[in-house]
Amino acid sequence: MKLHVLAVASALAATLTFAGFVGAQQSGGVTSLRNAGIDETNAIEDVYRQDEGREPRNYRQQPPIVPHSIEQYQIDLRTNQCLTCHDWTTAGDRGAPTLSMTHYLDRQGTQLDTVAGTRWFCNQCHVPQADAPALVGNTFKPSSN
Amino acid sequence: MLSILDLLGTIGAAALGLPGILGVGLGMTSRNPIVGAALGGIVGVASPFVLGSSHSTEVPITTLEYGIALLIGVMAGLVGCAIRRKGAKV
Amino acid sequence: METNLGEYRETVHYNNHSGVRAICSDCHVPHEWQYKMKAKIMAVKDVYHEVLGTISTPEKYEERRLEMASAVWTKMKASDSRECRNCHAFEYMDFTIQETRAAQNHQKAIDTGMTCIDCHQGIAHDLAPGYLEEYNHVVKKLAAQPHQGPIDVAGIKSFLGTQSE
């Protein structure tokens, strides 16, 4: 008899806890990552193409933008494929612009033979040029011109 | 190019390819082992040349490849010949 | 063999705008019968190591990545990228619709007798650190062998950018 009471109590406890979870979830108001309801269809983003030619810099310190596709380039901890052509050891023969020599300086300003770790991930600053509108609007104006 | 695996691969490919198969076939056309071996040998030498150069790439066929194909062709020719001789007795 | 499959599935040979797919065997198995048979016999080694679990964990795989890549590069370099050229041939290329950079380099490659893998390493699988040095090593090793054809090693080396010997 005692066992029976215990079983009923534990079943009740489990049910109530579960109900509590459900209630908590419903009251929280879930927002989906895709910013649309489950039954709505998201519009596909436009596909932007590469801009031809080499774009001039818009302001003095702008990192030059990349005039070619970098779609499948591996830039990770192991390998940086951009350096296959743009490293100082290869740039001459491959007819590619060499990295700026500032990219071979480490934090302390020591000249290195290989690209500094702080400059390893090219696409943090350099992006391919495309006919796409700016992702974020801004009112930036260069100091000269 | 001279690893054992490579060598085994070349030998196996020759045995399963034209030198091996056509070699046995042509060997079976003769009771004379010398003729059989010669026919097999001809196939062996011809096949890397005919099949190997059918591609647009400019890779020269190594003497090793020719040698192995020749050897396998001769052996296949002899086997074919032996089949003919054995088979004829039945 | 799951790691390399996963890497390949991220690349253009798996998914692309034209909807043509090149599967594993398109690049790793020759079309010509005798070379195909040879590849299949040599693949026994791969099966053996797969069963043995030589590359069963990501750590083990990373450790051997360069070695495995080097073996495939050697094969491709020795065969003048035969498997690439089953689909991609210089003869079928229209340089006018290629990216300028690509067109220039492809024409340079024809003139200097280079082959696909001389530049296109790691198009279907990730590259290990020091891959360029390893590839130069492969080129040098193959050039040292007597039966190789008229491959312009100096030209390729200078293109790859190893002035130092």
Side-chain angles (χ1 to χ4, degrees):
Chain A
M1 190 59 205
K2 212 173 186 184
L3 199 72
H4 186 69
V5 170
L6 205 67
V8 168
S10 63
L12 201 66
T15 315
L16 284 176
T17 317
F18 184 68
F21 277 137
V22 172
Q25 268 185 352
Q26 275 169 351
S27 62
V30 181
T31 48
S32 77
L33 283 173
R34 57 196 283 265
N35 295 321
I38 287 169
D39 51 345
E40 288 170 58
T41 316
N42 276 20
I44 299 173
E45 282 182 45
D46 287 332
V47 176
Y48 299 108
R49 307 225 158 263
Q50 196 79 40
D51 269 343
E52 291 283 319
R54 188 167 291 185
E55 295 233 331
R57 295 180 195 214
N58 293 314
Y59 55 98
R60 189 174 60 82
Q61 288 186 318
Q62 181 190 354
I65 46 183
V66 184
H68 59 74
S69 168
I70 60 162
E71 195 78 58
Q72 299 266 320
Y73 285 17
Q74 184 187 343
I75 309 173
D76 59 17
L77 267 179
R78 294 165 293 181
T79 300
N80 181 332
Q81 272 192 297
C82 305
L83 297 179
T84 311
C85 295
H86 291 289
D87 194 49
W88 70 272
T89 50
T90 48
D93 295 304
R94 298 261 180 146
T98 318
L99 305 190
S100 154
M101 282 303 134
T102 55
H103 292 50
Y104 295 92
L105 299 176
D106 68 3
R107 269 181 229 274
Q108 281 75 40
T110 325
Q111 273 284 359
L112 306 172
D113 213 26
T114 51
V115 172
T118 48
R119 306 277 196 169
W120 181 256
F121 295 101
C122 312
N123 51 2
Q124 274 185 337
C125 300
H126 301 277
V127 293
Q129 54 197 37
D131 57 0
L135 282 174
V136 181
N138 70 80
T139 53
F140 178 82
K141 292 251 180 332
S143 53
S144 57
N145 114 50
Chain B
M1 267 286 151
L2 282 173
S3 70
I4 292 173
L5 194 66
D6 217 314
L7 199 68
L8 274 177
T10 315
I11 291 170
L16 291 172
L18 212 54
I21 294 165
L22 193 59
V24 171
L26 285 178
M28 281 197 280
T29 60
S30 166
R31 273 172 216 278
N32 188 344
I34 296 168
V35 175
L39 284 171
I42 289 168
V43 176
V45 175
S47 67
F49 183 72
V50 173
L51 297 175
S53 58
S54 67
H55 210 274
S56 64
T57 59
E58 300 154 9
V59 182
I61 298 152
T62 58
T63 32
L64 180 81
E65 212 169 318
Y66 271 121
I68 287 171
L70 175 68
L71 207 71
I72 297 289
V74 168
M75 278 161 66
L78 286 173
V79 167
C81 197
I83 291 169
R84 177 67 179 265
R85 286 163 79 104
K86 277 279 181 194
K89 282 181 189 164
V90 177
Chain C
M1 299 220 181
E2 289 299 312
T3 317
N4 39 4
L5 179 67
E7 286 165 8
Y8 149 73
R9 284 190 172 149
E10 312 254 303
T11 69
V12 72
H13 281 98
Y14 187 75
N15 256 352
N16 52 60
H17 65 279
S18 63
V20 180
R21 177 173 291 177
I23 59 169
C24 310
S25 56
D26 286 324
C27 302
H28 292 294
V29 182
H31 282 188
E32 293 75 13
W33 178 261
Q34 78 271 35
Y35 299 127
K36 182 184 279 186
M37 285 302 115
K38 187 174 170 179
K40 283 181 187 292
I41 287 163
M42 289 176 77
V44 167
K45 173 171 164 288
D46 304 349
V47 175
Y48 171 74
H49 283 291
E50 183 70 21
V51 171
L52 215 62
T54 312
I55 48 166
S56 55
T57 67
E59 290 78 21
K60 286 186 192 171
Y61 195 96
E62 282 312 316
E63 217 169 275
R64 302 221 169 221
R65 184 185 285 281
L66 194 59
E67 188 192 326
M68 293 190 289
S70 171
V72 177
W73 292 335
T74 309
K75 214 179 283 177
M76 286 184 166
K77 177 71 183 156
S79 68
D80 194 11
S81 311
R82 192 200 303 121
E83 279 69 70
C84 309
R85 293 185 200 230
N86 285 332
C87 297
H88 306 271
F90 283 135
E91 295 82 43
Y92 317 150
M93 280 183 192
D94 186 346
F95 297 125
T96 57
I97 43 177
Q98 284 183 352
E99 217 177 54
T100 321
R101 166 184 73 130
Q104 277 172 355
N105 281 322
H106 283 145
Q107 289 175 74
K108 188 175 166 189
I110 294 176
D111 293 342
T112 49
M114 290 171 65
T115 190
C116 315
I117 194 69
D118 283 334
C119 295
H120 297 280
Q121 303 108 1
I123 39 138
H125 306 293
D126 286 0
L127 289 164
Y131 74 97
L132 209 55
E133 289 78 21
E134 180 60 30
Y135 186 73
N136 284 322
H137 181 64
V138 165
V139 172
K140 212 161 80 182
K141 215 166 58 186
L142 280 177
Q145 275 166 20
H147 295 305
Q148 283 306 312
I151 291 171
D152 181 14
V153 183
I156 291 164
K157 260 196 200 136
S158 82
F159 191 80
L160 286 168
T162 37
Q163 294 89 347
S164 54
E165 265 305 293

mmCIF file of all heavy atoms in Angstrom, chain A residues 1-8:
data_model
loop_
_atom_site.group_PDB
_atom_site.id
_atom_site.type_symbol
_atom_site.label_atom_id
_atom_site.label_comp_id
_atom_site.label_asym_id
_atom_site.label_seq_id
_atom_site.Cartn_x
_atom_site.Cartn_y
_atom_site.Cartn_z
ATOM 1 N N MET A 1 0.840 -1.201 0.000
ATOM 2 C CA MET A 1 0.000 0.000 0.000
ATOM 3 C C MET A 1 0.871 1.246 0.000
ATOM 4 O O MET A 1 0.680 2.183 -0.759
ATOM 5 C CB MET A 1 -0.897 -0.042 1.252
ATOM 6 C CG MET A 1 -1.981 1.027 1.248
ATOM 7 S SD MET A 1 -3.069 0.865 -0.230
ATOM 8 C CE MET A 1 -3.640 2.524 -0.376
ATOM 9 N N LYS A 2 1.900 1.185 0.873
ATOM 10 C CA LYS A 2 2.832 2.311 0.975
ATOM 11 C C LYS A 2 3.512 2.564 -0.377
ATOM 12 O O LYS A 2 3.671 3.687 -0.833
ATOM 13 C CB LYS A 2 3.880 1.969 2.041
ATOM 14 C CG LYS A 2 4.374 3.192 2.787
ATOM 15 C CD LYS A 2 5.277 2.743 3.943
ATOM 16 C CE LYS A 2 5.673 3.909 4.795
ATOM 17 N NZ LYS A 2 6.614 3.512 5.857
ATOM 18 N N LEU A 3 3.879 1.436 -1.007
ATOM 19 C CA LEU A 3 4.566 1.498 -2.306
ATOM 20 C C LEU A 3 3.685 2.167 -3.350
ATOM 21 O O LEU A 3 4.141 2.958 -4.186
ATOM 22 C CB LEU A 3 4.930 0.066 -2.735
ATOM 23 C CG LEU A 3 6.017 -0.035 -3.806
ATOM 24 C CD1 LEU A 3 7.364 0.327 -3.225
ATOM 25 C CD2 LEU A 3 6.040 -1.439 -4.375
ATOM 26 N N HIS A 4 2.407 1.831 -3.289
ATOM 27 C CA HIS A 4 1.453 2.370 -4.252
ATOM 28 C C HIS A 4 1.362 3.892 -4.140
ATOM 29 O O HIS A 4 1.416 4.620 -5.136
ATOM 30 C CB HIS A 4 0.086 1.717 -4.007
ATOM 31 C CG HIS A 4 -0.934 2.087 -5.040
ATOM 32 N ND1 HIS A 4 -0.840 1.637 -6.345
ATOM 33 C CD2 HIS A 4 -2.027 2.869 -4.968
ATOM 34 C CE1 HIS A 4 -1.850 2.131 -7.029
ATOM 35 N NE2 HIS A 4 -2.594 2.886 -6.208
ATOM 36 N N VAL A 5 1.290 4.364 -2.916
ATOM 37 C CA VAL A 5 1.215 5.811 -2.674
ATOM 38 C C VAL A 5 2.456 6.512 -3.227
ATOM 39 O O VAL A 5 2.399 7.542 -3.892
ATOM 40 C CB VAL A 5 1.064 6.093 -1.156
ATOM 41 C CG1 VAL A 5 1.236 7.595 -0.873
ATOM 42 C CG2 VAL A 5 -0.279 5.610 -0.661
ATOM 43 N N LEU A 6 3.585 5.874 -2.976
ATOM 44 C CA LEU A 6 4.864 6.429 -3.430
ATOM 45 C C LEU A 6 4.883 6.561 -4.953
ATOM 46 O O LEU A 6 5.310 7.574 -5.519
ATOM 47 C CB LEU A 6 5.993 5.513 -2.960
ATOM 48 C CG LEU A 6 7.365 6.194 -2.817
ATOM 49 C CD1 LEU A 6 7.349 7.202 -1.683
ATOM 50 C CD2 LEU A 6 8.444 5.140 -2.603
ATOM 51 N N ALA A 7 4.383 5.527 -5.624
ATOM 52 C CA ALA A 7 4.378 5.525 -7.090
ATOM 53 C C ALA A 7 3.494 6.644 -7.629
ATOM 54 O O ALA A 7 3.878 7.373 -8.551
ATOM 55 C CB ALA A 7 3.888 4.174 -7.601
ATOM 56 N N VAL A 8 2.330 6.779 -7.040
ATOM 57 C CA VAL A 8 1.402 7.828 -7.484
ATOM 58 C C VAL A 8 2.021 9.204 -7.269
ATOM 59 O O VAL A 8 1.990 10.069 -8.155
ATOM 60 C CB VAL A 8 0.053 7.717 -6.717
ATOM 61 C CG1 VAL A 8 -0.806 8.957 -6.955
ATOM 62 C CG2 VAL A 8 -0.689 6.460 -7.122
#
